[in-house]
């Protein structure tokens, strides 16, 4: 999917907007208000910056979810049938899935991710550590329908969608995703989903405005990537990171704000910015337990169990297909 920068730097015809990134970036920056999709944050540099974010003192979600998976490991294992297949939607670090694999007796693990290279490398490491586990990586866009490997056809299915990645979706997209996951996993399936919870606004604000500025670099890396891969002319010093909590819509919004009036070029198209104009780069929806349960119910699932940490910062839900 990644295109070679030198080739595209000279591409000036709309017909040459061949990669999804090129098409989405040009289309999204032509919108009013301007936006860019958070799915493009995760190139090699962006993935490393995200890993650094998960270690920040202000960024509580990753360590809190890990704590829940660790502490409630037995309770989670108790609802998982012996010999089931675990299907993970999107695959980052294997730390979380390892906790599930250690506590339960899964027969198969199917990581599904757009980046085939990445999941194949992870699969090798997991095969070493879980010799009896059938590991069957699938390179696919998990937001669209895909077919599960035939080898797990007869096994009970358990979906896994940790990290509050569901918070990146608009509520109607989250519903669409859960319905599609229900279709893919089939009758009798279960699903374990992590969702960040609504909480003190200061805590939310600080998690996306860390003192070390790692989140700012993560956000700005989107422009670095456009410059490198799409021949963009973004001046990084002319944009600044902004993250705010939108209370009415229960979401953190990340923006890149133009410090001045300027024009940026990319793939033969010019984009002009007013001083203070925003590119909206990410939403991170925060759920209440009730609102999450309502989302699940409206998407073909019902909540079987919900686990949280003591401070109720983060939630992990076990869903059952309706
Ligand atoms: C991986 C999407 C859950 O929304 O908290 C972290 C991404 N963005 N800091 C989140 C992110 C800024 C993260 N998710």
């Amino acid at each position: 999917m990644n295109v070679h920068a030198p080739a595209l730097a000279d591409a000036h015809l709309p017909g040459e907007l061949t990669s999804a990134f090129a098409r989405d970036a040009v289309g999204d920056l032509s919108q009013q208000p301007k936006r860019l999709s958070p799915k493009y944050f995760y190139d090699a540099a962006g993935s490393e910056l995200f890993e650094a974010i998960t270690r920040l003192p202000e960024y509580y979600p990753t360590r809190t979810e890990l704590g829940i998976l660790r502490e409630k490991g037995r309770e989670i294992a108790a609802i998982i049938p012996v010999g089931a297949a675990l299907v993970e939607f999107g695959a980052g670090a294997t730390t979380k899935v390892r906790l599930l694999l250690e506590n339960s007796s899964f027969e198969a693990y199917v990581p599904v991710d757009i980046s085939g290279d990445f999941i194949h490398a992870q699969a090798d490491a997991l095969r070493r550590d879980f010799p009896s586990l059938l590991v069957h990586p699938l390179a696919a866009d998990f937001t669209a329908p895909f077919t599960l490997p035939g080898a797990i056809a007869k096994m009970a299915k358990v979906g896994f969608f940790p990290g509050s990645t569901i918070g990146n979706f608009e509520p109607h997209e989250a519903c669409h995703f859960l319905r599609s996951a229900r279709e893919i996993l089939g009758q009798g399936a279960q699903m374990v989903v992590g969702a960040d919870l609504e909480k003190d606004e200061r805590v939310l604000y600080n998690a996306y405005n860390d003192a070390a500025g790692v989140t700012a670099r993560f956000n700005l890396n989107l422009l670095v990537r456009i410059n490198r891969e799409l021949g963009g002319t973004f001046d990084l010093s002319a944009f600044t990171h902004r993250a705010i909590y939108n209370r009415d819509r229960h979401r953190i919004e990340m923006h890149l704000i133009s410090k001045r009036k300027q024009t940026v070029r990319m793939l033969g198209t010019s984009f002009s910015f007013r001083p203070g104009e925003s590119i909206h780069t990410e939403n991170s929806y925060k759920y209440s337990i009730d609102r999450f349960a309502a989302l699940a119910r409206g998407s073909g699932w019902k909540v079987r169990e919900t686990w949280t940490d003591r401070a109720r910062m983060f939630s992990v839900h076990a869903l059952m297909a309706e």
Side-chain angles (χ1 to χ4, degrees), residues 194-224:
D196 196 12
L197 295 175
E198 213 159 20
K199 60 183 63 61
D200 184 282
E201 291 183 17
R202 246 9 260 184
V203 175
L204 286 171
Y205 181 89
N206 290 338
Y208 295 83
N209 289 280
D210 60 288
V214 183
T215 308
R217 273 161 59 212
F218 175 71
N219 200 4
L220 282 158
N221 179 58
L222 213 39
L223 305 184
V224 177

Side-chain angles (χ1 to χ4, degrees), residues 38 41-42 50 53 59 61 162-168 196 207-208 215 218 241 252 254 282-286:
F41 277 138
Y42 304 92
F50 180 67
I53 286 173
Y59 193 77
S164 198
T165 308
I166 198 154
N168 271 177
D196 196 12
Y208 295 83
T215 308
F218 175 71
H241 163 77
I252 286 280
M254 292 216 307
E282 186 176 51
N283 288 319
S284 190
Y285 279 86
K286 307 305 172 188

